[in-house]
Amino acid sequence: MTTPGARPVRVLIVDDDALVRAGLSMILGGADDIAIVGEAGDGAEVPAMVARHRPDVVLMDIRMPDVDGLTATEALRAAQSPPEVLVLTTFHADAQVLRALRAGAAGFLLKDIPPVELVAAIRKVAAGEPILSPAVTRQLIAHVSNGGAGGRADRARALIGRLSEREREVALAVGRGRSNAEIGRELFMSVPTVKAHVSRILTKLELNNRVQVALLVYDASL
């Protein structure tokens, strides 16, 4: 529920299927701390819609006829102060989802996600927590391991080499899908200290969210 005086999480829905958009709007409309600020039927509409409505979170379909969700996500996350992006898909961690995560998406949702979990996911992403389940993490590791990414592995190791020993420990924990509280317990740090380390890691590695840190760790085979 919404804390008195708190602004609802602003959500933009992007999907070429009108029925899917309607279903998502109906589900999210039942949460008093979430506001649907707009709907788009193609990735080409996203820049103008984001500029007009300033959403906190964009629910982004992958497969759309004109500009697909991957292209739209890459363009959106490259812009200044972008909203978080949650990818909508019918597949578990396929290569397209992996590309979206590398572009800076905060995670992804399956289109058959239960309503309660959808609402919880929106809240988490708006609060800066990525949506990456252990099952999905295992599949992402498999994609990275089998992708023939020799040059990418070298680059990843070089980037992680920029980190201090403590920052590297935090990055590895992020790669295992640990929350800030879990990292704090494992490494005997306060949550604010963990957050400060994560912030420095993102700055040093020129990344924009924890999912990208996790992917870099996997690329480096750590």
Side-chain angles (χ1 to χ4, degrees):
M1 298 184 62
T2 305
T3 302
R7 182 174 70 87
V9 178
R10 298 167 62 82
V11 178
L12 172 66
I13 298 172
V14 185
D15 196 294
D16 65 333
D17 188 325
L19 287 176
V20 171
R21 295 198 304 272
L24 291 170
S25 293
M26 182 177 66
I27 292 168
L28 296 177
D32 61 5
D33 58 344
I34 294 176
I36 306 300
V37 298
E39 296 181 16
D42 193 84
E45 303 171 41
V46 171
M49 295 285 282
V50 167
R52 184 182 309 127
H53 299 294
R54 299 295 179 186
D56 302 303
V57 178
V58 177
L59 284 178
M60 185 81 76
D61 186 23
I62 287 183
R63 293 168 177 84
M64 291 182 284
D66 188 5
V67 176
D68 64 48
L70 298 175
T71 302
T73 296
E74 288 167 346
L76 189 58
R77 292 300 300 176
Q80 189 172 12
S81 301
E84 298 293 347
V85 176
L86 265 175
V87 174
L88 292 168
T89 181
T90 55
F91 298 95
H92 281 283
D94 63 10
Q96 290 180 315
V97 172
L98 185 60
R99 176 182 157 195
L101 295 176
R102 290 191 188 284
F108 71 90
L109 302 173
L110 296 178
K111 288 189 176 181
D112 62 355
I113 185 173
V116 172
E117 292 181 21
L118 172 62
V119 172
I122 296 292
R123 290 171 177 154
K124 286 182 179 180
V125 167
E129 299 179 38
I131 303 301
L132 205 60
S133 71
V136 168
T137 299
R138 287 193 294 272
Q139 293 185 48
L140 289 175
I141 292 171
H143 270 288
V144 172
S145 299
N146 299 327
R152 197 165 62 225
D154 291 339
R155 175 182 175 276
R157 294 187 190 103
L159 285 172
I160 290 176
R162 298 178 184 176
L163 303 178
S164 68
E165 182 177 351
R166 200 58 160 164
E167 289 165 350
R168 187 176 183 275
E169 290 176 338
V170 172
L172 293 178
V174 169
R176 292 193 295 270
R178 302 290 193 265
S179 67
N180 287 339
E182 290 169 335
I183 295 172
R185 287 194 294 271
E186 288 180 5
L187 300 180
F188 305 101
M189 300 180 187
S190 67
V191 170
T193 299
V194 174
K195 289 181 178 178
H197 278 301
V198 171
S199 179
R200 284 195 293 272
I201 289 167
L202 294 175
T203 299
K204 280 188 177 182
L205 303 185
E206 299 179 358
L207 302 175
N208 58 31
N209 65 31
R210 296 166 70 101
V211 176
Q212 289 182 319
V213 174
L215 291 174
L216 196 71
V217 169
Y218 303 149
D219 282 342
S221 300
L222 300 176

